[in-house]
Amino acid sequence: MKFFSRAQRATSVAALALALALAGCSAQSSSSTSETTSAATSSATSVVTSGTTAELASSIAESTHFDADDLTWDAAKETTVSLADGSSAASGTNADAVSVDGNTVTITAGGTYRVSGTLGDGELVVAAGEEDVVRIILDNATVTSSSGSAVDIQSANEVLLFLEDGTTNILSDAASYADTGTDAANAAIYSLADLTIAGTGTLAVNGNYQDGISTKDGLVLAAGNVTVKAADDGIKGKDYTVLLDGSYSVTAGGDGVKSTNDTETDRGWLLVAGGMLNVAADDDGIKAATTLTISDGTATVSRSEEGLEAANIAISGGTVNITSNDDGLNAAGGSTTSDAAAGDAQGAPQGGMGGGGMDTVGDFSLDISGGTVTVNAEGDGLDSNGNASISGGTVVVNGPSSDGNGALDVNGDLTVSGGTIAAAGSAGMVVTPSETSTQSGLQISFDSPVAAGTAVQITDSTGAVVATFVTAKQTSSIVFSSADIKAGEQYSILTGGTAEVEVGLGKGSVTGATEVTTATAGEYTTSGGPGMR
């Protein structure tokens, strides 16, 4: 295990994003052959010797178990493990560290193991030393268990599951386990050590009992084409969960992807720094105990109760698409102030002086500084039990039609200083930018609801179209802010005309449109809800 000083642990998650993305590029080029292993080493060297990039690469190495060296090895020293019901065998450098007991194949020492073949009812176990690094190359391997996990990592310093290019691998656990004790395994891939998944091959994980992939330590998803189906949680790390690159598709009966350590303030964080993540979950989509950061890549939650949830949510880049039965983005969770935790909008009015209001402002934050964020929520669209800020990027919220929730819900200040935001929803609970905002905006209220699919045109005093928004659902109000909106100026709002939009926003024409109302930039009223502006 790596041991971290307090200074190392305090490394900013946001500052890790570039390092992770760069490390992900190295991961994609790695392979087990001598030629490409050398190339990967060269790529890794360029990452760690280029000024600021070197500092960032160092920070990821200090703050997680992962570094570029994990993805390079001497192919000549691989141990071959051939899986077959009743006749599994090992050969090569560390063959004596592989034991076979029926259909249970156990790796007991560090090294690199190339695993192929099929166990129709068996298990791959890692029971190595606490300082050992174990690399397992899955090379067209299929493991199915009728009594427990397909891969059970019981001890090691860290374990790498590398998906060989061009291969298809399948890991499936039992629908019920023989051992259901408190600390027993409960996932198709279960690890008590730090775990990395990398490579460019394909992996299907079937978590028939509870979880798909679960580690009681740190989890880094460096690459791979991975599909997870789980009865409960899809992918779960404890200290941290990081997506660098690759394509991960998760279908879960519980939470989709999460990090769970809620006892250490510098742990329990989740970072998407690249790749593609697609989640369909019966509970929360992407969740962190402390901080959830998205800096690059694409994160799509197509089904969830709450789409993104963490005490602190920060989006600085990438593409985020959220569909939720409750809140879309929810900055909430455990707090030293019990009232703050109770302040999550469950139909309670949240508007108020300065930004959202009358509820206790907890130690929670929602910050969007870049990227494209699209939310379709039946509950609150963007919800923070503390403060919220938007300083960049594009944010489109299609919020609730019912008045018990709102497109925006912030207990403290909602500060808008940049970017473009269009938040549409009901009129019963409207939160607008606070006085701390430096970018102006419009609060638009309709006398009667606007139907889904309607083009809403915003024009300035000259008749020029400033913005075009196409509603995804019935809409009674819109809060709009962009650099094109000038404080104190009056704007006309029309419905109809033509529109060319992406994620609901774009360009349009007012030909054939009808003016329905006007709004003055920076004038926010209480008419749409309890906000006191």
Side-chain angles (χ1 to χ4, degrees):
M1 297 292 291
K2 287 185 178 179
F3 297 93
F4 305 107
S5 68
R6 176 60 54 181
Q8 288 172 327
R9 286 183 170 183
T11 301
S12 166
V13 174
L16 298 178
L18 179 58
L20 286 168
L22 289 170
C25 293
S26 296
Q28 288 286 60
S29 65
S30 297
S31 177
S32 60
T33 66
S34 298
E35 180 179 356
T36 53
T37 299
S38 175
T41 303
S42 175
S43 176
T45 301
S46 68
V47 168
V48 299
T49 58
S50 55
T52 301
T53 303
E55 296 173 358
L56 292 172
S58 176
S59 71
I60 181 57
E62 292 172 349
S63 298
T64 76
H65 67 276
F66 178 81
D67 57 55
D69 289 344
D70 295 341
L71 302 173
T72 62
W73 60 86
D74 186 348
K77 295 182 179 180
E78 291 179 6
T79 300
T80 299
V81 179
S82 300
L83 304 179
D85 290 332
S87 59
S88 297
S91 61
T93 303
N94 286 350
D96 58 352
V98 180
S99 64
V100 178
D101 182 6
N103 279 353
T104 299
V105 178
T106 303
I107 296 171
T108 60
T112 301
Y113 302 83
R114 180 175 292 273
V115 179
S116 59
T118 299
L119 287 178
D121 181 10
E123 187 175 32
L124 181 61
V125 176
V126 176
E130 294 297 328
E131 300 301 320
D132 287 343
V133 174
V134 178
R135 296 182 183 88
I136 297 174
I137 306 166
L138 295 178
D139 187 355
N140 288 318
T142 298
V143 178
T144 302
S145 175
S146 66
S147 59
S149 298
V151 175
D152 185 0
I153 301 167
Q154 301 173 356
S155 59
N157 184 345
E158 58 184 272
V159 174
L160 167 68
L161 295 181
F162 189 90
L163 313 177
E164 182 64 25
D165 184 32
T167 67
T168 299
N169 306 279
I170 305 172
L171 302 174
S172 306
D173 69 352
S176 60
Y177 278 32
D179 183 357
T180 58
T182 302
D183 296 323
N186 67 343
I189 301 175
Y190 183 81
S191 179
L192 293 177
D194 288 323
L195 177 65
T196 300
I197 297 177
T200 57
T202 297
L203 172 64
V205 179
N206 299 306
N208 299 305
Y209 176 57
Q210 290 184 6
D211 301 342
I213 301 171
S214 178
T215 174
K216 296 295 186 178
D217 219 319
L219 175 62
V220 173
L221 309 174
N225 297 292
V226 180
T227 300
V228 177
K229 297 180 180 179
D232 193 10
D233 298 334
I235 298 176
K236 182 166 67 177
K238 182 179 180 182
D239 288 346
Y240 47 82
T241 299
V242 179
L243 174 62
L244 283 70
D245 209 341
S247 176
Y248 284 74
S249 178
V250 179
T251 304
D255 297 328
V257 180
K258 65 196 297 186
S259 185
T260 63
N261 190 337
D262 58 1
T263 61
E264 299 177 82
T265 57
D266 51 1
R267 291 305 194 209
W269 51 271
L270 188 151
L271 173 61
V272 177
M276 296 183 64
L277 176 61
N278 292 281
V279 175
D282 289 347
D283 203 343
D284 297 335
I286 305 173
K287 185 173 184 176
T290 55
T291 299
L292 193 166
T293 301
I294 299 176
S295 64
D296 203 352
T298 299
T300 299
V301 177
S302 60
R303 185 181 78 240
S304 67
E305 284 304 306
E306 295 187 327
L308 304 184
E309 183 173 70
N312 303 284
I313 299 173
I315 300 172
S316 60
T319 301
V320 180
N321 301 299
I322 302 296
T323 302
S324 65
N325 289 327
D326 198 353
D327 299 339
L329 276 60
N330 187 33
S335 174
T336 54
T337 303
S338 59
D339 289 343
D344 184 28
Q346 300 295 331
Q350 302 267 334
M353 293 187 294
M358 307 307 292
D359 288 302
T360 302
V361 180
D363 188 18
F364 308 102
S365 65
L366 170 59
D367 300 295
I368 300 174
S369 58
T372 300
V373 179
T374 308
V375 176
N376 189 325
E378 294 304 315
D380 298 319
L382 306 184
D383 186 351
S384 175
N385 285 357
N387 296 312
S389 68
I390 298 173
S391 59
T394 299
V395 181
V396 175
V397 177
N398 290 284
S401 300
S402 63
D403 287 342
N405 292 289
L408 304 172
D409 183 3
V410 181
N411 285 15
D413 282 339
L414 169 59
T415 301
V416 178
S417 59
T420 299
I421 178 170
S426 63
M429 201 179 102
V430 177
V431 169
T432 55
S434 64
E435 294 178 357
T436 56
S437 299
T438 57
Q439 178 171 286
S440 194
L442 302 171
Q443 179 183 355
I444 303 167
S445 297
F446 299 100
D447 291 336
S448 59
V450 175
T454 301
V456 177
Q457 316 280 357
I458 300 173
T459 63
D460 63 18
S461 59
T462 70
V465 177
V466 176
T468 300
F469 173 67
V470 176
T471 59
K473 328 191 238 191
Q474 177 177 292
T475 298
S476 297
S477 70
I478 299 174
V479 173
F480 180 82
S481 178
S482 79
D484 294 327
I485 301 298
K486 307 304 180 184
E489 294 190 8
Q490 189 177 73
Y491 294 82
S492 296
I493 291 84
L494 303 87
T495 57
T498 60
E500 295 182 6
V501 299
E502 185 175 350
V503 299
L505 276 176
K507 299 178 180 180
S509 168
V510 297
T511 301
T514 302
E515 182 175 324
V516 293
T517 189
T518 61
T520 301
E523 291 187 1
Y524 305 123
T525 72
T526 62
S527 61
M532 299 180 183
R533 306 296 181 195

